[in-house]
Amino acid sequence: MAKEVGKDRFGDFYIDGGKVRKRREWRGVADTLYDYSRWLGIMMTLGKFVMKPRNVKAMFRYRWMANYLAVPMMVDRHTQGLRGEYLRICHEEQDLVINDVAQLLDNLFRGDRRIGNDTEFSKKVVLVDENEMTAVMMGFPTLKCLSRETPSTYVSVLLNQHAAEHYIDVAQEFGLAGDVCPMPEAEAGVSIDDDAPVLGACAIQCNTTCDGSLLGNGVISRRLELEDGIPVFQLAAPLRHREDDVQEYAAQEIRNAIAFIEKHTGETWDWKAYFECARRVNYATRCRQEWLEMNRTPYPQVFGSNLALYTETNYMAICGRIPAFERADRRISKLAQQAYAKKKMAAKEYRHRAIIWGVQSHYYMDFLVWLLNCWGIVPLTDMLSMVSTRELVEEDTPENRETAIYDMAWLTENMIMRNRTHGGYKVLLDELWEFTEQFNADMVILWEHMSCKALTGMHGMFEERARELGVNLVWVTHDLFDPRIISRQGVRDQINNYMRTVMREEPLDPSLEVLHDEESW
Amino acid sequence: MNKLLKLLGKLLLILLGFFVVTFTVYIFNLDMKLTAMIEPFLLRHYDRIERDRHL
């Protein structure tokens, strides 16, 4: 039980083969009371959620809802070892995301034909993919932009590592290939298993990242259109997103998507609302750049899962539409500046500065916290946080309205993941080494998502370039949503082996090196 | 005055009781230990639900 950073043996909190941990951390009086107060806040959010009978009904209808029992534990995983400003930044983000997901669930069940069946509300709902920029919804303030895949698969795997296994198996039982990305496969599995809420005036699907994603969308849209009578628009954003000659086509796709939403909801595009959202997107971008600027110095402040999880949510799912995220950006920046001024550190020792690249394992997102606590490796930034920094036009003029269409197209083309896994050699490979230099990193940890064809082809090129530059390159193979293929310990072992055999180092916290958490949430 | 003091005393006792109980739940992770016990029952329930499973 320690107040000081790095004094605890975090491995001692785990129960061998157990689902949950023995107890919560003692972080000193002030930080423990702070963490306790935020835990109470989370319990209140969950309490308010289950007060509504329709949400309880949904809990007993949808298998993936069981994962939400693990919400407080997800927060505990990401706050492991954090003190002071780092702890507060983490809670600012996590608690807000929890609140946002609770609202998303509440809205889904309100309109769901099986649960709340509020038909008037449902007419104002536009369904979107989980892995999709919500830029085309920035000018529809009276509509609800809801994703069914976010709570059923994406968030579920963050809560419980085994969450997607059932749905992956269902999809494969019905003959879907076993070697596609488990994320779209699980999303398709939810649809096949008749476990997705049914609501909405229409839906927008995007050719997000890969072949698996297209496969999953096909299965889902078939059910939506042919059985549920919900029309679906396929927003096909160009993959060569850095090329000038594709931008006009991309802009036309945005115009078409907006027209489709207007047609099926009866609403009209609101430029005032759009430009207000654009201003908030720009503010979020400036904050993110400020945090990344700090991470280039010896005293990084917003990094690891504090950077990764929040950026994914704020950039892609929120896209300036929810003012609470702007307030959170402001508070996070203030906390980061305070900690930076005091030259604070999140662990007792920073041994290596790492760029995390590739598509991360969702069942092990707290890997970034583990890297820091176990080996003193600072995850300065990750591939999915290195998204567009282009400033959007904010002033409502006739010329800017035309530019804004191109801005939305740019955001959609440059959504998280696809902006790096597609778009050519430069965005995936060359820019990694530019970031390595800019961040003064001596290590690159390369997630190798074994079902992602977009990255596997470049394995040799990454190795060749790392050798030339003298950067320590550590491959970490995983199967994104399926820990039965490579377990959390399987992930950790790849780092442990590299650190012991190549770097010849001993861990900062040896109790974290081997954890029997295969049954854990 | 006495009544007010008594009321304040009671309020403080209630708050203290609330703190002791909830802090014990928090620090010993009892909330998660309880929900971990609930999960298997829920999973069995989901298995029994009739579904229209198809592509």
Side-chain angles (χ1 to χ4, degrees), chain A residues 25-37 87, chain B residues 23 26-27:
Chain A
E25 265 177 75
W26 177 260
R27 304 167 197 261
V29 175
D31 283 344
T32 304
L33 285 179
Y34 172 78
D35 192 61
Y36 157 76
S37 70
L87 178 67
Chain B
F23 191 79
Y26 161 81
I27 202 75

Side-chain angles (χ1 to χ4, degrees), chain A residues 181-202:
Chain A
C181 175
M183 180 162 80
E185 184 150 55
E187 291 170 0
V190 171
S191 175
I192 295 168
D193 202 32
D194 194 21
D195 222 20
V198 182
L199 75 162
C202 59

Side-chain angles (χ1 to χ4, degrees), chain A residues 19-24 35-36 39 43 59-63 66 69 72-73 160 170 174 176 192-195 223 227 521, chain B residues 18-19 22-23 25-33 35-36 38-40 42-43 45-47 49-55:
Chain A
K19 191 162 278 188
V20 298
R21 294 183 189 170
K22 285 178 196 165
R23 62 171 176 83
R24 291 195 166 91
D35 192 61
Y36 157 76
W39 170 82
M43 294 314 247
M59 185 92 199
F60 285 97
R61 172 59 183 80
Y62 297 115
R63 176 184 293 272
L69 294 171
M73 183 160 167
N160 171 9
V170 168
F174 279 80
L176 271 69
I192 295 168
D193 202 32
D194 194 21
D195 222 20
R223 195 156 191 157
E227 292 176 33
W521 268 331
Chain B
F18 175 79
F19 173 75
T22 53
F23 191 79
V25 171
Y26 161 81
I27 202 75
F28 292 108
N29 208 18
L30 299 179
D31 52 327
M32 290 293 90
K33 286 172 185 165
T35 50
I38 296 170
E39 196 201 24
L42 274 174
L43 294 181
H45 164 75
Y46 299 131
D47 288 338
I49 297 176
E50 269 193 39
R51 293 169 192 279
D52 182 15
R53 286 173 103 190
H54 64 81
L55 265 177

Side-chain angles (χ1 to χ4, degrees), chain A residues 13 26 41 57 70 95 102 141 152 154 172 206 215 228-229 267 304 309-310 313 315 327 333 405 425 471 500:
Chain A
F13 288 80
W26 177 260
K57 191 176 169 188
D95 299 5
S152 65
Y154 182 86
Q172 291 181 19
C206 186
L215 170 147
D228 303 328
E267 295 291 323
L309 277 174
Y310 186 69
T313 310
Y315 178 80
R327 294 193 287 275
S333 286
I405 298 286
Y425 186 91
V471 174
R500 284 197 175 275

Side-chain angles (χ1 to χ4, degrees), chain A residues 107-126:
Chain A
N107 284 327
L108 280 174
F109 301 142
R110 181 178 169 188
D112 186 2
R113 293 177 196 171
R114 296 190 186 104
I115 309 290
N117 200 22
D118 185 337
T119 48
E120 287 308 305
F121 176 79
S122 182
K123 285 176 191 167
K124 297 290 173 198
V125 170
V126 177

Side-chain angles (χ1 to χ4, degrees), chain A residues 235-280:
Chain A
L235 205 172
L239 294 175
R240 293 186 300 118
H241 51 81
R242 292 280 175 105
E243 305 293 325
D244 289 339
D245 58 354
V246 301
Q247 302 309 326
E248 175 48 36
Y249 162 76
Q252 190 53 44
E253 278 293 281
I254 297 296
R255 291 187 196 102
N256 294 346
I258 291 171
F260 175 85
I261 297 167
E262 287 181 331
K263 180 183 165 194
H264 290 285
T265 61
E267 295 291 323
T268 48
W269 181 259
D270 180 343
W271 280 111
K272 188 168 174 281
Y274 169 80
F275 284 111
E276 182 59 25
C277 291
R279 188 192 60 72
R280 284 197 283 264

Side-chain angles (χ1 to χ4, degrees), chain A residues 290-426:
Chain A
E290 184 194 347
W291 307 338
L292 291 173
E293 199 60 48
M294 281 183 206
N295 293 357
R296 293 185 174 122
T297 73
Y299 298 100
Q301 300 301 332
V302 186
F303 60 92
S305 52
N306 273 3
L307 179 70
L309 277 174
Y310 186 69
T311 303
E312 282 188 30
T313 310
N314 199 7
Y315 178 80
M316 192 158 66
I318 304 303
C319 211
R321 292 177 301 106
I322 299 176
F325 280 80
E326 186 183 15
R327 294 193 287 275
D329 285 337
R330 194 169 294 122
R331 288 194 293 267
I332 294 164
S333 286
K334 195 176 164 196
L335 286 163
Q337 285 157 7
Q338 274 174 23
Y340 184 77
K342 294 179 209 161
K343 297 187 173 179
K344 281 201 172 176
M345 289 167 69
K348 66 178 174 188
E349 191 182 339
Y350 291 170
R351 287 181 181 167
H352 299 283
R353 296 169 59 85
I355 303 285
I356 316 295
W357 209 246
V359 180
Q360 83 263 346
S361 137
H362 282 237
Y363 57 81
Y364 197 16
M365 266 302 277
D366 47 322
F367 171 75
L368 303 177
V369 180
W370 177 84
L371 275 179
L372 182 71
N373 288 328
C374 186
W375 289 102
I377 299 170
V378 190
L380 298 163
T381 188
D382 61 286
M383 187 179 88
L384 306 193
S385 295
M386 302 309 278
V387 282
S388 172
T389 52
R390 182 192 277 192
E391 287 268 317
L392 313 180
V393 289
E394 291 180 10
E395 198 188 337
D396 189 359
T397 65
E399 300 78 40
N400 280 356
R401 286 185 180 191
E402 184 61 13
T403 309
I405 298 286
Y406 283 83
D407 283 346
M408 281 183 272
W410 176 258
L411 285 176
T412 306
E413 291 171 85
N414 284 277
M415 58 158 268
I416 276 175
M417 195 147 53
R418 100 198 289 277
N419 76 322
R420 299 275 165 210
T421 57
H422 292 83
Y425 186 91
K426 181 167 170 48

